[in-house]
Amino acid sequence: MKALVYTDVKELTFQDMPDPILRDGENLVAIRSVGICGSDMHAYLGHDERRPAPLILGHEAAGDVIDGPMKGARVTINPLVTCQTCEECKSGRENLCGKRQIISMQPREGAFAQLVAVPTQNLVKVPDDVSFDHAALAEPLAVCWHAIRLGHQALDVNLATANTLVIGGGAIGLGSALSLTAKGAKKVKIAEPNPMRAEYLRENTDYQVYDPFKQGHGDLSQYDMVVDAVGFATSRKDACALAKPGGVIIHIGLGDSSDGLDIRRLTLQEIRFIGTYTYTAQDFIDTAQAIYDGRFGTLEWVQKRPLSDGANAFAEILNGSIATPKIILHP
Ligand SMILES: [Zn+2]
Ligand SMILES: [Zn+2]
């Protein structure tokens, strides 16, 4: 098969690779659409010690099952392979499984390839009238859906009247805004400092988008929920200042690891800070269904390219010349 292999820091090579060998209960999926994630970018820059080269990255994928128990099905892939037997898995919190493996992290090669091996429990069927490009968005949108579900649970006020802000207008930021809308929020703003990306969001979505660096965030203490889809010290600091007393901060971004939290304000104002990571198996299924039902809107905020052009796509994302929140590669 052909695959886009991460061969060294900032180096991706489109090359021949051996076909995956199926283990018991696994399916061979012919990948039709696979998205580029911020975490793929992180690995490409050599910043993820869990993903050393050489490795096939890519975990946001959909395709046709061509061999194995689900042969013939159109599927989207939940890339979290979990043990199904530990306390976390049994209580439906598979994302916290201590034995969790992720497609695109050893020992599992990723989906920037023509073929990938996937256990049956990780496949969700896709109806014929839903495109693989849309189905491949199930993974990043599930991250958002899960985060907003946790935020909604913790919120004391009605989401329909809640004032909400998403910091960051990339795929996870936009997906969080769309998840808020899908769950009934009416007041959703997005803070995005990249002018090209902000302009893209203004033209292609109904959200109010502003530049937090140039315009500032406006009044402090104004939001019932703040979603930090960036995760840097500055965005955490802003989130702490912008949340209302009794409000909720949802932290998804993995920008950096320390600083920014105003623990005193979080404590005295009972602001709930919730870290969230990936999704449960049920969140993934619910997200896929929400895509099929059109609850995330048209999902046309993607740019499509052949997998063979993947190295250029990474380079362009890195130099900031791409406004679209998501690039989908076609093997
Ligand atoms: Zn991802
Ligand atoms: Zn487990």
Side-chain angles (χ1 to χ4, degrees):
M1 67 169 183
K2 289 281 185 200
L4 184 71
V5 185
Y6 165 53
T7 38
D8 203 346
V9 175
K10 293 195 198 176
E11 186 184 279
L12 292 162
T13 314
F14 189 65
Q15 63 180 71
D16 286 312
M17 289 291 282
D19 289 357
I21 295 162
L22 295 189
R23 281 167 277 194
D24 230 18
E26 287 187 344
N27 299 269
L28 192 61
V29 182
I31 302 298
R32 304 300 180 208
S33 299
V34 53
I36 299 178
C37 173
S39 68
D40 294 317
M41 207 60 212
H42 202 64
Y44 166 78
L45 294 173
H47 294 164
D48 189 346
E49 72 279 0
R50 302 173 305 171
R51 289 174 163 113
L55 180 69
I56 304 174
L57 300 169
H59 58 271
E60 305 178 352
D64 289 301
V65 181
I66 59 170
D67 198 6
M70 287 181 70
K71 187 174 176 182
R74 303 172 83 240
V75 294
T76 182
I77 299 173
N78 175 343
L80 296 190
V81 182
T82 56
C83 80
Q84 312 278 301
T85 57
C86 72
E87 193 185 326
E88 285 75 21
C89 282
K90 280 184 172 162
S91 63
R93 297 171 299 157
E94 300 87 351
N95 56 330
L96 306 179
C97 174
K99 294 192 182 127
R100 177 185 69 209
Q101 296 178 345
I102 305 183
I103 285 167
S104 79
M105 251 182 234
Q106 289 299 357
R108 293 190 172 272
E109 296 282 355
F112 290 149
Q114 289 178 322
L115 300 169
V116 68
V118 188
T120 296
Q121 74 206 38
N122 288 72
L123 298 178
V124 176
K125 282 191 180 167
V126 178
D128 288 342
D129 63 342
V130 175
S131 72
F132 285 123
D133 289 340
H134 288 178
L137 294 172
E139 199 279 340
L141 288 174
V143 171
C144 308
W145 186 266
H146 171 73
I148 300 306
R149 179 171 69 78
L150 295 191
H152 192 187
Q153 275 172 9
L155 197 66
D156 289 329
V157 299
N158 191 332
L159 188 59
T161 53
N163 216 9
T164 69
L165 170 68
V166 178
I167 302 177
I172 295 297
L174 175 56
S176 298
L178 292 170
S179 298
L180 281 164
T181 304
K183 288 174 188 282
K186 305 280 182 232
K187 292 187 264 181
V188 184
K189 280 188 212 167
I190 299 175
E192 171 54 57
N194 176 326
M196 205 172 55
R197 190 177 264 181
E199 192 51 38
Y200 183 89
L201 293 175
R202 283 189 204 102
E203 282 174 11
N204 293 280
T205 74
D206 294 328
Y207 297 112
Q208 188 185 329
V209 184
Y210 67 90
D211 181 339
F213 297 161
K214 278 200 189 128
Q215 296 165 248
H217 286 287
D219 293 344
L220 301 179
S221 195
Q222 59 164 318
Y223 292 104
D224 298 289
M225 194 193 299
V226 181
V227 179
D228 187 346
V230 185
F232 283 99
T234 46
S235 58
R236 279 189 290 275
K237 183 165 175 281
D238 289 345
C240 289
L242 291 165
K244 278 184 192 174
V248 178
I249 296 171
I250 297 297
H251 195 264
I252 317 175
L254 285 165
D256 61 24
S257 301
S258 56
D259 300 334
L261 280 190
D262 183 345
I263 301 290
R264 187 173 173 82
R265 182 158 198 271
L266 296 188
T267 304
L268 291 176
Q269 302 300 337
E270 289 197 347
I271 293 165
R272 274 151 270 186
F273 180 91
I274 302 176
T276 82
Y277 180 67
T278 63
Y279 33 76
T280 68
Q282 191 61 49
D283 287 321
F284 194 94
I285 291 166
D286 293 345
T287 305
Q289 192 59 52
I291 290 174
Y292 308 158
D293 294 342
R295 294 179 66 196
F296 288 106
T298 63
L299 298 175
E300 291 306 314
W301 35 271
V302 298
Q303 192 187 106
K304 300 155 197 181
R305 300 200 183 186
L307 181 64
S308 56
D309 194 38
N312 289 329
F314 271 76
E316 287 170 41
I317 294 172
L318 187 61
N319 72 27
S321 62
I322 291 181
T324 349
K326 180 64 69 184
I327 293 185
I328 300 251
L329 300 174
H330 293 158

